Amino acid sequence: MEIAKTGSKPKHIVLTSHPSKFGPKPIPIHWGDADPLMRGPIIGTLCNSSHRNVIGTHSGSYGVYRALAIASGKLQSNHRADLTNTAPAELIGPHPAWSDPDKIVSLDPYGALVKEAYGSLYEQGYDIRPTIAITKAHINMPELVDAVTKGRLHIDGTIMKDNGDLVVTKAAIEPVWYLPGIAKRLGVTESDLRRALFEQTGGMFPDLVTRSDLTIFLPPIGGSTVYILGDPAAITDPNKPLTVRVHDECNGSDVFGSDICTCRPYLVHGIEACVQTAQDGGAGVIVYLRKEGRALGEVTKFLVYNARKRQVGGDRADAYFTRTECVAGVQDMRFQELMPDVLHWLGITRIDRFISMSNMKYNAVTQSGITIVERVPIPEDLIPADAQVEIEAKKAAGYYTDGDVPSQLVLAQVKGRSLTD
């Protein structure tokens, strides 16, 4: 144990913790229980260590900024959120998958309902924080306004306003990992998973290897955002169509319009298809996951760009994945096996139009028990000229072939090998 200063008051910081036969016990978590009180709340508080029943803290990677705010004296370390008027703007669930411990392992299905589900505990002083927030908003993209001009979309005044704004329901989701379920999903032992997470974060979370009684981990990574177009109730209505685009973050293209990949064009195409379905009486869902550069990170992505363009013969489809592996050691670390959890949280059992050509995404979704009726590729005229290398490389690698393709996304540190082995 060491002493750290927070403002003018010394504070004891416990470097690691151990279960004790004596003293107060944290509220246990029974993952998959249909009753949220029996399931137990996710408590990552730093205000009362005896209440903590998870490894890690809330806010993912933003927890580091919280530390900076506390260290600089701008935030009180014992601040507890006032959740007045923060309830979801739209009710989602509960759905049957919420009580299936195999369907959802990477988020807390009750994460938006903590005040409603755990109000009595909150009043007793438990620092229980939402891991999901649901609100309503307007979004506007110039390509969608252009789609109206060209007649592909129309102004209806409800889903699409006169100025081109789209009315959406959106949910922000922080990752909450049920470690036994994550291990099972990836086909590894829980002990190997815990050891890899402990070692590859530089020993940041000792409780991963010292507290086998704690099964929940709040990882310091980015979460996801869901954008719903149309009536959210239509998502689970078997008589109404549903369109879904699962999109992995690409800051360069999505935000700044870089033309080396198809990310923003495909995202816009997915949103357009979702608008069309919503205007036809169904619903459209965009899932946006913070997995920059196939979860290899933007620095690695840019290094690969340089390597691809400077090699003999220039940027070539036949060396597209090889150059990635040379820098990163693997082609892809997105772990699409975990991606369907958000779809199960929404109650999705069937997708009529899946706006994706990726076999890894398709397999992950269908193998989780969700039916996909139609896969929709990106139209050829939306592919930027500089992105043809990407498209050709993925075609050559069988990225778009039909049928089941076993996922290659295996936790490299756990399995001890790369994708090329």
Side-chain angles (χ1 to χ4, degrees):
M1 181 180 293
E2 67 178 24
I3 302 294
K5 286 189 175 180
T6 303
S8 59
K9 296 181 179 180
K11 183 176 181 181
H12 291 270
I13 305 296
V14 179
L15 296 182
T16 187
S17 59
H18 303 277
S20 172
K21 295 181 181 179
F22 309 101
K25 297 287 193 302
I27 297 174
I29 295 175
H30 303 287
W31 195 263
D33 198 294
D35 183 339
L37 275 175
M38 292 298 296
R39 198 295 301 273
I42 302 299
I43 307 176
T45 181
L46 297 174
C47 299
N48 188 331
S49 60
S50 68
H51 288 177
R52 287 175 56 79
N53 61 2
V54 303
I55 302 165
T57 66
H58 290 299
S59 302
S61 56
Y62 293 100
V64 176
Y65 287 103
R66 183 174 63 240
L68 293 181
I70 292 171
S72 64
K74 297 183 182 300
L75 173 65
Q76 292 296 313
S77 62
N78 62 352
H79 172 74
R80 196 160 72 117
D82 180 352
L83 299 179
T84 303
N85 293 328
T86 63
E90 187 77 41
L91 184 63
I92 292 178
H95 297 295
W98 290 24
S99 57
D100 186 335
D102 291 326
K103 290 291 187 186
I104 298 178
V105 300
S106 64
L107 60 87
D108 177 11
Y110 301 103
L113 303 173
V114 298
K115 192 67 183 296
E116 295 78 9
Y118 307 115
S120 60
L121 293 171
Y122 191 84
E123 293 302 322
Q124 293 175 43
Y126 284 89
D127 184 14
I128 306 171
R129 304 187 183 188
T131 57
I132 300 176
I134 304 170
T135 189
K136 290 183 177 292
H138 288 192
I139 62 173
N140 193 302
M141 301 178 76
E143 294 95 331
L144 299 176
V145 175
D146 184 59
V148 172
T149 302
K150 294 179 178 178
R152 297 195 305 271
L153 294 179
H154 66 274
I155 303 294
D156 63 284
T158 302
I159 294 166
M160 195 169 203
K161 299 294 187 178
D162 291 342
N163 62 352
D165 279 1
L166 296 181
V167 179
V168 301
T169 299
K170 62 180 183 179
I173 303 173
E174 291 180 0
V176 176
W177 286 5
Y178 175 55
L179 292 173
I182 295 283
K184 182 178 179 181
R185 190 78 62 86
L186 297 179
V188 302
T189 67
E190 185 183 345
S191 61
D192 283 347
L193 174 63
R194 284 174 175 265
R195 173 63 61 177
L197 289 169
F198 169 70
E199 292 178 348
Q200 298 307 311
T201 56
M204 187 184 299
F205 302 99
D207 285 350
L208 284 166
V209 291
T210 64
R211 294 293 303 272
S212 59
D213 60 311
L214 298 181
T215 60
I216 305 300
F217 178 42
L218 305 181
I221 60 174
S224 57
T225 310
V226 177
Y227 292 84
I228 301 170
L229 292 110
D231 183 0
I235 292 175
T236 55
D237 189 332
N239 299 312
K240 294 183 178 180
L242 176 66
T243 293
V244 173
R245 165 69 182 167
V246 175
H247 190 89
D248 295 313
E249 177 184 30
C250 178
N251 183 65
S253 178
D254 296 341
V255 179
F256 294 100
S258 172
D259 64 353
I260 198 172
C261 62
T262 59
C263 295
R264 182 179 173 96
Y266 219 157
L267 175 61
V268 173
H269 177 58
I271 295 173
E272 185 175 324
C274 285
V275 173
Q276 292 168 344
T277 302
Q279 290 182 331
D280 286 341
V285 172
I286 301 291
V287 179
Y288 194 89
L289 300 148
R290 284 356 181 263
K291 296 180 179 179
E292 180 65 60
R294 301 196 205 111
L296 302 173
E298 202 164 34
V299 169
T300 295
K301 176 195 274 191
F302 288 7
L303 293 174
V304 172
Y305 285 167
N306 288 344
R308 284 170 47 190
K309 294 177 180 180
R310 291 170 178 168
Q311 65 192 337
V312 176
D315 197 6
R316 309 191 315 272
D318 64 325
Y320 179 87
F321 288 112
T322 302
R323 298 313 302 154
T324 300
E325 288 192 47
C326 287
V327 177
V330 295
Q331 295 178 6
D332 198 316
M333 290 198 303
R334 284 176 290 182
F335 293 94
Q336 301 294 6
E337 293 93 337
L338 305 180
M339 170 268 292
D341 289 23
V342 65
L343 305 179
H344 289 295
W345 173 69
L346 290 166
I348 293 174
T349 57
R350 187 199 74 239
I351 298 171
D352 295 284
R353 303 184 73 212
F354 188 58
I355 315 298
S356 173
M357 298 185 289
S358 166
N359 283 320
M360 288 185 289
K361 291 178 181 178
Y362 173 82
N363 290 339
V365 172
T366 56
Q367 289 170 8
S368 78
I370 296 173
T371 299
I372 292 178
V373 177
E374 178 188 6
R375 299 167 70 177
V376 181
I378 185 172
E380 290 287 338
D381 61 344
L382 293 184
I383 301 174
D386 205 27
Q388 291 295 336
V389 170
E390 172 201 354
I391 294 295
E392 293 306 314
K394 289 181 176 179
K395 286 180 180 178
Y399 195 80
Y400 306 139
T401 55
D402 294 329
D404 281 350
V405 179
S407 176
Q408 299 181 65
L409 299 182
V410 180
L411 188 58
Q413 294 297 336
V414 174
K415 292 294 189 181
R417 62 183 177 84
S418 72
L419 294 180
T420 57
D421 290 344

